Every structure is written in structure tokens, then in C-alpha cells.
Amino acid sequence: MITVALHGAEFFAKHGFYPEEQVLGCKFAVDISVDFMPLGNLNKDNLSNTVNYEQLYDITFREMQRPRKLIETLAQAIIDEIKKQHPYIETIAVTIKKLNPPLKGRVANSSVSITYTKPL
């Protein structure tokens, strides 16, 4: 089993339940981890035998551009797109952190984590 991951990918986006969040936007950090069996011999040193983390970033970047009220919906959309492009992946974990969420006091981040496990 191989794990490919991105940690702390930062984006500015306009996700949030409240209208002002969708106007002002804020910073988000995203962690993604995928587990899969290699598609070929890793000794061949060929990118097509693994998951390219640049593709994971690009999927996330595209989804971050589509405002949503809930970051749960956003995390699920990222998972769905990864599954569509890489159906052989066995596990996908996505954590989205809203940095400095607009609350009454100082909070470093709020977060949502969703994990998908391919059915047997």
C-alpha cells in the first residue's frame, strides 16, 4: 500500500454559511491523503504507476474556486473528484481548516475531516 499526501495546502476562498463570509472570503488549509496499491512496478520510476500529488492539488484548487456554504460539502466534492479520476484509490482522507474563522474570540481554525474507504 502506498500513501500520497498533501499537507497544509493554502487557499483563499469564499466558503461560509453567512453571506459576509461569501463576500469577504478567508484562508483555508487543506490536507489530503490517499492510499492505493501501486499500478505497476515502482522500480520503473514512472509517474503513471502512482498518484501525482500535483493532480490532487489541481483537483482541490478547482473545487476551492466554487463557493459553498459548508466545508463538509467542499470536502465531499474533493473526494468525489479524486474517486472519479483515480477509481483504484482505496482510501481518501480530506481535512479542511478554515483559518481564523469569524467568531467572537480568537480561534486558530475550525475544521472538517471526511474519510472515504472503497467498499470491498
Side-chain angles (χ1 to χ4, degrees), residues 63-107:
E63 294 300 330
M64 291 299 289
Q65 302 310 304
R66 297 181 54 219
R68 279 132 168 142
K69 291 181 181 179
L70 302 177
I71 57 177
E72 291 89 332
T73 306
L74 174 61
Q76 187 62 54
I78 293 168
I79 287 171
D80 291 345
E81 189 60 28
I82 293 170
K83 286 180 356 188
K84 188 166 109 180
Q85 291 189 29
H86 304 282
Y88 52 88
I89 289 177
E90 296 182 27
T91 305
I92 304 168
V94 174
T95 297
I96 300 175
K97 298 173 187 169
K98 181 180 269 190
L99 306 179
N100 302 308
L103 299 170
K104 292 179 182 174
R106 169 103 171 91
V107 175

Side-chain angles (χ1 to χ4, degrees), residues 31-95:
D31 299 330
I32 299 173
S33 178
V34 300
D35 299 319
F36 59 96
M37 294 303 292
L39 299 176
N41 185 346
L42 292 176
N43 291 323
K44 300 274 185 189
D45 206 22
N46 189 333
L47 189 57
S48 65
N49 292 331
T50 188
V51 173
N52 181 347
Y53 57 79
E54 184 177 12
Q55 290 175 328
L56 297 177
Y57 182 89
D58 290 344
I59 289 168
T60 305
F61 179 84
R62 283 191 304 274
E63 294 300 330
M64 291 299 289
Q65 302 310 304
R66 297 181 54 219
R68 279 132 168 142
K69 291 181 181 179
L70 302 177
I71 57 177
E72 291 89 332
T73 306
L74 174 61
Q76 187 62 54
I78 293 168
I79 287 171
D80 291 345
E81 189 60 28
I82 293 170
K83 286 180 356 188
K84 188 166 109 180
Q85 291 189 29
H86 304 282
Y88 52 88
I89 289 177
E90 296 182 27
T91 305
I92 304 168
V94 174
T95 297

